Amino acid sequence: MLDKTYSPAQVEAKHYEAWEKSGAFAADADSNAQPYTIMMPPPNVTGSLHMGHALTFTLQDILIRYHRMRGDDALWQPGTDHAGIATQMVVERQLAADGKTRHDLGRAGFIDRVWQWKAESGGTITRQLRRLGASPDWDRERFTMDEGLSKAVAKVFVTLHKQSLIYRDKRLVNWDPKLHTAISDLEVESREVKGHLWHFKYPLENRPDQFITVATTRPETMLGDTAIAVHPEDERYKDLIGSFAVLPLVGRRIPIVGDEYADPETGSGAVKITPAHDFNDFEVGRRNKLEMINVLDRDAKIIDDAMIPEAYRGLDRYEARKRIVADLEEQGLVEKIEPHTHMLPHGDRSGMVIEPWLTDQWYCDAVTLAQPAIKAVEEGRTVFVPKQWENTYFEWMRNIQPWCISRQIWWGHQIPAWYGPDGAVFVEETEDEAKAAAEAHYGAPTDLTRDSDVLDTWFSSALWPFSTLGWPDRTKELERYYPGDVLVTGFDIIFFWVARMMMMGLHFMGDVPFRHVYIHALVRDERGQKMSKSKGNVIDPLELIDEYGCDALRFTLAAMAAQGRDIKLAVGRVEGNRNFATKLWNAARYCQMNECAAQPGFDPASVKLTVNRWIVGEVAKTAARAAEAIEAYRFNDAANALYQFTWNTFCDWYLEFTKPILNGDDAEAKAETRATTGWVLDEILQLLHPFMPFITEELWEELGTGREHGLIRASWPQFGSDIADASAEAEMDWVVRLISTVRGVRSEMNVPAGAQIPLLLKDASPGTVQRLDTYRDIILRMARLSSADTTSDAAPKGSIQAVLDEATVVLPLAGVIDVDQEKARLSKEIDKHTAEIAKIDQKLGNANFVSRAPAEVIEEQRDRRATAEAAKQKLAEALARLSAA
């Protein structure tokens, strides 16, 4: 007999270990089954499970378990990313605690130390994924620094270089002055900062006492100004275009150029151009062939160079700012200083303000590689779900810039480039090949120096869909599982990862890496705010698993994963789905106590009792609805269909309808109902398994005798059209609607729970009269009625009426409730909702509020208004019925 309560902690580890040991997660490359592939977005090896992980991996696991049950050869390819900067920082912090730096160990020693850390602590995230119930093929787990994947990275780099699609260039990058490396846009976060806008007067050459005023938030970069830009059509400055100004403090003459980047409506309309320290200025500089002068070093200090006035050399950028402003004020060249709030880029790991910095880096020609990737989505070879994310993809891809792929750190794939004594570069897959190329070039063996940079982490991640399957070798796995069926990921890495996998997959495999890209939303807190440590609103998925069980968390995330809407996660929702698990457990105990068990050879199409024919048809409909929703990535629709069927149709209706049969004397009816109930419960377990794998596996094991295999190896329920019985459905649906109508009136009118009231069906057809006679006992019991009869007379005074098909449901409530008191209560509730709606409308009608409030706050207000409006409407209908009584 099942325990009285379900204890997730005792069940989850047991079943997961059994699944993994049995090979239940494994794909079979030699199978004749249809392959189905999901490439796991590899979490950082430094990571630990957060709510975004919990959502994305739950949805992927639902898909993979569903397709296994459908008989597909399902591969969910797992792995982790080496996370270059993040991992290096972890190990460097450990060294710092011992009073050391990576330079004390040297490059080789430091890399060994990182591998040691990875062996000891790098499996945290994969252990936590197991706690979530994720079921990838762990035997195929890969790491982006594995030997095979490193081989693929070198092959791709060399191939692209030989095709002139990888090259060296001097351009601006996001430079982190603390980490001393270029970082990607994804590793930059913009923070609002209160600063100043300085207006400086630059003297015009050969025009005594005449100036042109420019505004800047970064006075320290003026040392590298190489031009002033004005709009070509700006009448104020037209005559200055082609002339020169004199750069204050430095004395260098700089041209005044006409460029549409200058906005006549902003500030003075004149803009200082510092091509080496601003991304927009860099483009202006290239268009106008301006000199690019770098005035900062890798620490964001003013460089020690003869072209820089000696007073500023070696100063930190902010100290230089103070000195420069003071010196300009002394010379009378500061026109005004205004308070100015603006967004400043910060490194997400170092916390330092990022510098646009001019430096030599390796670049990938993303513009060329993007064209086939754009075309593939335009032609529908890869489809985004929801479809509107294609617009984001196109916007990024059609405006793509050269991709900086080099990083100035030690942990990662070292760039396969070697330099000769004269700077000649030899790009080859191995050092031996580079030496051979150098010997051919120089005519003699020559010492080479390897490039010290490593590749951007996204470079190796871009190869994930095919490098994990053995490429560049033509393995059977590569032939079978590429391209994948779906990529499940968040919108924030459409450009950084999705787009780059598309580019690399098409270039090296000749086909897209996946047929669908499902973009899921963010998990926010219950108020719709983004979770962050600073706000103190982070919800830890592992704590929720400890408290409510893994199945409750998984089901909650799936049930809330509506396409295009962020998830507002309240702990109460997880608790509610823990109650759903309890409901399922209690229903199973009830079935067990009443000897309801699935019978070998049971044929659901052969049942005779109307109530059993009805529930069998409902199972078939639910299985079809859930399957259709899962395949369309409408996880919330699938979860809600299963919830409604399990809790409402099966537990609240069918089990209640069949109690008289199980307690009766008709042995044949009792046997059929027991077998049907057991069969339905088995089908529920199979349908719920992708969403709630642990409790369903436990019940399958406990309730089944002599089963050939665990639930994880069971098939998804599929039925023919002959199993549905329209007449049984119509009959039982009528009973459900009648009882629900009575319950609704009782609730709306505050009828005491213990009060039994009479029911009259007015103008009922012969068929309806027969249904009432057949199910009278059930209706009396479940609707808490004293009687249920038919009539053709007028409704008694004080009756509440409702229409049910051709008949009118009449509920005489005079003497049961105080009509005037209930009218007053309903009116008061309506007024309360009216006031709330007016308050919200006032807020949403306030242009100042709407312009300042975050989008999630606006959405929350609209949701509250819709809820209040629906409640008000329902109360108004109840009041109208009461007034007509």
Side-chain angles (χ1 to χ4, degrees), residues 202 225-228 243-247 252-256:
Y202 284 27
D225 287 358
T226 57
I228 293 171
S243 65
F244 291 84
V246 177
L247 182 61
R252 187 172 65 249
R253 61 200 293 269
I254 57 175
I256 297 171

Side-chain angles (χ1 to χ4, degrees), residues 111-160:
I111 298 300
D112 287 343
R113 181 67 176 263
V114 179
W115 278 108
Q116 180 186 337
W117 173 86
K118 194 259 183 186
E120 294 171 355
S121 307
T124 298
I125 187 69
T126 54
R127 288 192 296 272
Q128 291 171 340
L129 285 177
R130 287 170 167 87
R131 288 209 60 197
L132 188 67
S135 62
D137 189 344
W138 288 115
D139 287 342
R140 296 179 184 270
E141 183 179 353
R142 303 305 301 269
F143 179 54
T144 48
M145 291 283 285
D146 282 351
E147 183 179 348
L149 272 65
S150 296
K151 177 182 174 184
V153 168
K155 178 80 172 178
V156 165
F157 187 96
V158 172
T159 301
L160 291 176

Side-chain angles (χ1 to χ4, degrees), residues 22-298:
S22 72
F25 306 157
D28 181 2
D30 296 319
S31 168
N32 292 322
Q34 176 74 23
Y36 178 83
T37 309
I38 299 178
M39 286 290 163
M40 175 186 289
N44 286 354
V45 70
T46 58
S48 58
L49 195 72
H50 56 63
M51 201 54 76
H53 288 137
L55 172 64
T56 190
F57 291 124
T58 292
L59 300 183
Q60 290 172 66
D61 195 52
I62 288 169
L63 288 169
I64 213 73
R65 287 178 183 266
Y66 167 78
H67 279 276
R68 278 198 204 106
M69 295 178 80
R70 292 299 295 256
D72 294 339
D73 173 30
L75 169 63
W76 187 11
Q77 173 64 53
T80 50
D81 191 283
H82 66 278
I85 294 174
T87 303
Q88 178 154 321
M89 285 186 69
V90 167
V91 178
E92 285 199 83
R93 278 196 295 267
Q94 292 178 346
L95 290 174
D98 296 332
K100 296 180 180 179
T101 72
R102 59 185 162 119
H103 300 285
D104 294 324
L105 275 64
R107 183 167 191 143
F110 179 75
I111 298 300
D112 287 343
R113 181 67 176 263
V114 179
W115 278 108
Q116 180 186 337
W117 173 86
K118 194 259 183 186
E120 294 171 355
S121 307
T124 298
I125 187 69
T126 54
R127 288 192 296 272
Q128 291 171 340
L129 285 177
R130 287 170 167 87
R131 288 209 60 197
L132 188 67
S135 62
D137 189 344
W138 288 115
D139 287 342
R140 296 179 184 270
E141 183 179 353
R142 303 305 301 269
F143 179 54
T144 48
M145 291 283 285
D146 282 351
E147 183 179 348
L149 272 65
S150 296
K151 177 182 174 184
V153 168
K155 178 80 172 178
V156 165
F157 187 96
V158 172
T159 301
L160 291 176
H161 182 265
K162 292 185 187 307
Q163 295 170 347
S164 300
L165 294 172
I166 281 180
Y167 55 91
R168 292 276 284 177
D169 195 9
K170 185 182 285 289
R171 297 177 62 92
L172 284 189
V173 296
N174 297 310
W175 183 262
D176 190 313
K178 181 177 180 180
L179 300 180
H180 294 148
T181 182
I183 61 175
S184 73
D185 289 343
L186 190 65
E187 294 158 320
V188 175
E189 58 182 38
S190 292
R191 301 179 190 170
E192 189 174 85
V193 174
K194 293 185 185 300
H196 295 88
L197 189 62
W198 288 270
H199 295 255
F200 297 148
K201 296 188 294 185
Y202 284 27
L204 295 176
E205 186 183 44
N206 301 323
R207 299 194 188 192
D209 301 323
Q210 290 188 38
F211 305 88
I212 185 168
T213 299
V214 299
T216 181
T217 60
R218 306 197 59 210
E220 66 278 10
T221 65
M222 68 167 292
L223 300 174
D225 287 358
T226 57
I228 293 171
V230 297
H231 196 281
E233 303 302 320
D234 193 330
E235 293 294 336
R236 295 171 295 177
Y237 302 118
K238 264 189 174 183
D239 65 319
L240 293 179
I241 295 174
S243 65
F244 291 84
V246 177
L247 182 61
L249 306 180
V250 179
R252 187 172 65 249
R253 61 200 293 269
I254 57 175
I256 297 171
V257 300
D259 195 283
E260 292 184 354
Y261 169 64
D263 182 358
E265 305 299 321
T266 301
S268 67
V271 185
K272 64 188 277 306
I273 301 299
T274 321
H277 294 286
D278 182 274
F279 287 102
N280 290 316
D281 290 7
F282 178 81
E283 296 302 327
V284 175
R286 285 216 159 177
R287 284 196 295 272
N288 292 277
K289 298 182 172 54
L290 300 176
E291 187 180 1
M292 299 193 182
I293 300 175
N294 201 348
V295 300
L296 296 174
D297 64 15
R298 70 179 202 149

Side-chain angles (χ1 to χ4, degrees), residues 246-469:
V246 177
L247 182 61
L249 306 180
V250 179
R252 187 172 65 249
R253 61 200 293 269
I254 57 175
I256 297 171
V257 300
D259 195 283
E260 292 184 354
Y261 169 64
D263 182 358
E265 305 299 321
T266 301
S268 67
V271 185
K272 64 188 277 306
I273 301 299
T274 321
H277 294 286
D278 182 274
F279 287 102
N280 290 316
D281 290 7
F282 178 81
E283 296 302 327
V284 175
R286 285 216 159 177
R287 284 196 295 272
N288 292 277
K289 298 182 172 54
L290 300 176
E291 187 180 1
M292 299 193 182
I293 300 175
N294 201 348
V295 300
L296 296 174
D297 64 15
R298 70 179 202 149
D299 296 309
K301 293 180 179 180
I302 304 298
I303 60 173
D304 186 1
D305 189 277
M307 68 178 178
I308 303 292
E310 190 173 352
Y312 310 120
R313 296 176 199 168
L315 292 181
D316 173 78
R317 53 186 163 171
Y318 298 120
E319 184 60 33
R321 174 181 298 181
K322 293 176 187 175
R323 186 82 60 89
I324 286 169
V325 171
D327 289 349
L328 288 170
E329 284 182 320
E330 188 177 330
Q331 295 182 21
L333 296 177
V334 178
E335 184 172 285
K336 61 180 176 178
I337 303 173
E338 299 175 308
H340 183 67
T341 300
H342 59 131
M343 305 302 290
L344 267 186
H346 289 70
D348 64 350
R349 292 188 173 88
S350 69
M352 292 285 281
V353 175
I354 296 305
E355 280 295 338
W357 200 47
L358 188 65
T359 179
D360 289 305
Q361 300 283 346
W362 287 94
Y363 287 88
C364 181
D365 182 359
V367 176
T368 299
L369 291 173
Q371 303 316 305
I374 293 169
K375 187 177 180 184
V377 176
E378 289 174 337
E379 294 175 348
R381 284 183 282 152
T382 291
V383 176
F384 279 75
V385 181
K387 193 170 179 62
Q388 66 260 28
W389 286 111
E390 290 181 4
N391 296 328
T392 302
Y393 174 84
F394 288 138
E395 175 69 19
W396 282 337
M397 294 293 271
R398 289 168 181 160
N399 295 284
I400 201 166
Q401 296 295 311
W403 171 18
C404 176
I405 57 175
S406 47
R407 299 291 180 265
Q408 290 66 54
I409 59 175
W410 287 354
W411 173 244
H413 294 100
Q414 193 169 352
I415 288 175
W418 287 261
Y419 298 97
D422 58 355
V425 62
F426 303 94
V427 175
E428 300 292 346
E429 292 182 47
T430 67
E431 186 172 7
D432 288 342
E433 290 173 345
K435 286 180 176 179
E439 185 172 349
H441 175 77
Y442 293 113
T446 306
D447 290 335
L448 301 177
T449 302
R450 185 166 186 177
D451 195 307
S452 60
D453 287 356
V454 301
L455 285 164
D456 176 14
T457 299
W458 296 105
F459 190 91
S460 51
S461 298
L463 319 183
W464 189 254
F466 54 91
S467 65
T468 52
L469 298 174

Side-chain angles (χ1 to χ4, degrees), residues 587 590-591 594-620 645 649-650 654-655 657-658 661-662 667-686 703 719 723:
Y590 169 86
C591 292
N594 285 277
E595 302 175 39
C596 301
Q599 301 298 319
F602 176 80
D603 179 8
S606 67
V607 296
K608 297 177 182 149
L609 297 180
T610 299
V611 69
N612 291 335
R613 296 202 311 275
W614 165 69
I615 196 65
V616 161
E618 292 299 305
V619 168
F645 174 76
T649 307
F650 180 64
Y654 177 75
L655 294 185
F657 288 161
T658 56
I661 300 173
L662 297 179
E668 187 176 344
K670 189 182 293 188
E672 179 187 289
T673 301
R674 281 175 171 163
T676 304
T677 305
W679 175 83
V680 173
L681 180 58
D682 261 14
E683 301 304 294
I684 287 173
L685 297 180
Q686 289 163 249
L703 298 176
F719 305 96
I723 199 169

Side-chain angles (χ1 to χ4, degrees), residues 385-388 518-519 521 560-565 629 632-636:
V385 181
K387 193 170 179 62
Q388 66 260 28
Y518 173 71
I519 302 293
M560 299 183 76
Q563 289 183 11
R565 293 200 60 166
Y633 311 109
R634 298 193 321 271
F635 298 97
N636 61 313

Side-chain angles (χ1 to χ4, degrees), residues 524-529 531 537 539 560 567-572 860:
R524 299 179 178 271
D525 71 9
E526 60 186 307
R527 296 185 58 202
Q529 295 189 338
M531 293 185 194
N537 64 346
I539 303 173
M560 299 183 76
I567 292 173
K568 296 179 183 178
L569 183 64
V571 174
E860 180 186 12

